[in-house]
Amino acid sequence: MEEIMESISNEKMQFAVLIDADNISSKYAVTIFEELEKYGVTSYRRIYGNWSKGNGWSEGLLLEHSIMPVQQFSYTTGKNATDMAMVIDAMDILYKNKVQGFCLVTSDSDFTRLAMRLREENMFVLGMGESKTPLALTRACNKFIHLNLVAEQNMEEGISLEARAVLGEKHVRANDDNGGQEPVSAEEQNVTSISEVRQVILTLINENGGKQVDLARVGNRLNDKFTDFDVRNYGYYKLSTMIDQELQDLHVKKISNQYYVERRSNLTKAELEQEICRMIEKNGGMVENLASLNDELHKKYKQLDFKQFGYNRISSFLRSLGSVTVHENEVFLKRRDK
């Protein structure tokens, strides 16, 4: 992720920032522009809303961040005039050919089609909103940042740094592996789940023949796969810490100055085959239900995943073994010639 950001920043990509004041709180102002600095510079800074109503975006705040307010009255009850104004301005800016990217700051799924249309014109679309943002909008952007989770994590980081200054490094180290807080549950937020992250990493390891994979390569794959992926969404600062803490069957190790991700389990296919034969023999030489055998194996090997051996299902794995026979839903030990 860091490499992607550095590459974008070095190119000095010009952005148009369009903020939906009816949908985004002013408390995220600092976070919005701090995050934008990692991607490029802003040529347009506009915010849309009905300024005759209080929305928290004060004159002082707009001046501080050089944001131009665009007044939009609600002409008709039940219609969102702010959305229309943002879309019209976005298309006007697009055809001026003065920017390479748009930052749409909103949690409103109504902007999904706009994000898709801008990407059709080869614009880099950076989305920002709260974790309540519908998946359709987050996936429509090239990259999406969950402002509430990032702002929360940045605040925790500030507290942690202050604690170091007051208490000393060794007093806070024990509670600082994940930023001094309990990791955020992905299930409680509308973000990519930990299980999805795990599956992508396992797939990458499988593609590499089951061998360890460079951590930077893992980060790039996760960013390519999930537009909203950010370790801060889960309460961490580093991908390596997140993997070690959240994914018990994976491990990050350092070799020279490089970091790699590998499976924590050393279980081999031969060892697993031996255990399967033992289980079938204990059951009288036959197991009538594949599901029951699968359950027993997962009880013994908590993190077992047949994909680590190149198979999607237990049935496919069993058929690859020379010691057993699979017939429909039954598994037999093969007879040995005397």
Side-chain angles (χ1 to χ4, degrees), residues 44 46 89-99 102:
Y44 296 84
R46 295 182 183 177
D89 272 10
M91 300 312 292
D92 283 345
I93 294 169
L94 171 66
Y95 291 117
K96 289 179 180 177
N97 293 318
K98 291 184 178 180
V99 298
F102 283 79

Side-chain angles (χ1 to χ4, degrees), residues 68-86:
M68 185 180 78
V70 178
Q71 169 65 33
Q72 189 60 52
F73 293 106
S74 298
Y75 298 110
T76 306
T77 303
K79 300 293 183 180
N80 196 332
T82 296
D83 291 8
M84 293 301 296
M86 277 184 62

Side-chain angles (χ1 to χ4, degrees), residues 76 82 149 214 226 240 246 270 276 318 328:
T76 306
T82 296
L149 302 182
D214 186 277
F226 306 115
S240 57
E246 295 288 340
I276 288 171
L318 291 172
E328 294 181 349

Side-chain angles (χ1 to χ4, degrees), residues 48-152:
Y48 302 80
N50 189 344
W51 304 103
S52 63
K53 300 178 180 179
N55 57 21
W57 290 87
S58 65
E59 181 181 348
L61 189 61
L62 298 182
L63 289 173
E64 179 183 352
H65 295 284
S66 301
I67 310 171
M68 185 180 78
V70 178
Q71 169 65 33
Q72 189 60 52
F73 293 106
S74 298
Y75 298 110
T76 306
T77 303
K79 300 293 183 180
N80 196 332
T82 296
D83 291 8
M84 293 301 296
M86 277 184 62
V87 171
I88 292 170
D89 272 10
M91 300 312 292
D92 283 345
I93 294 169
L94 171 66
Y95 291 117
K96 289 179 180 177
N97 293 318
K98 291 184 178 180
V99 298
Q100 293 82 48
F102 283 79
C103 178
L104 305 179
V105 188
T106 181
S107 297
D108 190 343
S109 62
D110 288 348
F111 289 101
T112 300
R113 184 66 187 94
L114 174 61
M116 295 169 66
R117 180 68 182 87
L118 293 172
R119 289 187 66 176
E120 287 175 358
E121 295 295 328
N122 292 320
M123 291 287 112
F124 183 92
V125 181
L126 175 63
M128 293 189 187
E130 293 188 319
S131 54
K132 66 182 180 181
T133 305
L135 194 61
L137 178 55
T138 64
R139 292 290 194 262
C141 300
N142 294 94
K143 180 69 181 176
F144 195 91
I145 296 171
H146 295 288
L147 292 171
N148 55 320
L149 302 182
V150 170
E152 209 172 274

Side-chain angles (χ1 to χ4, degrees), residues 150-215:
V150 170
E152 209 172 274
Q153 189 67 2
N154 289 346
M155 182 179 69
E156 290 292 337
E157 183 179 12
I159 293 172
S160 179
L161 292 173
E162 185 178 352
R164 281 200 178 94
V166 175
L167 301 175
E169 185 81 16
K170 65 181 181 181
H171 290 88
V172 296
R173 169 96 39 200
N175 295 320
D176 196 43
D177 284 342
N178 65 345
Q181 65 174 14
E182 289 296 321
V184 176
S185 170
E187 287 71 20
E188 296 174 3
Q189 306 287 348
N190 191 22
V191 298
T192 300
S193 69
I194 292 293
S195 61
E196 290 177 295
V197 171
R198 174 180 174 274
Q199 191 55 60
V200 168
I201 299 175
L202 286 175
T203 299
L204 190 55
I205 292 175
N206 288 337
E207 290 173 0
N208 201 40
K211 300 176 183 178
Q212 61 192 22
V213 178
D214 186 277
L215 181 63

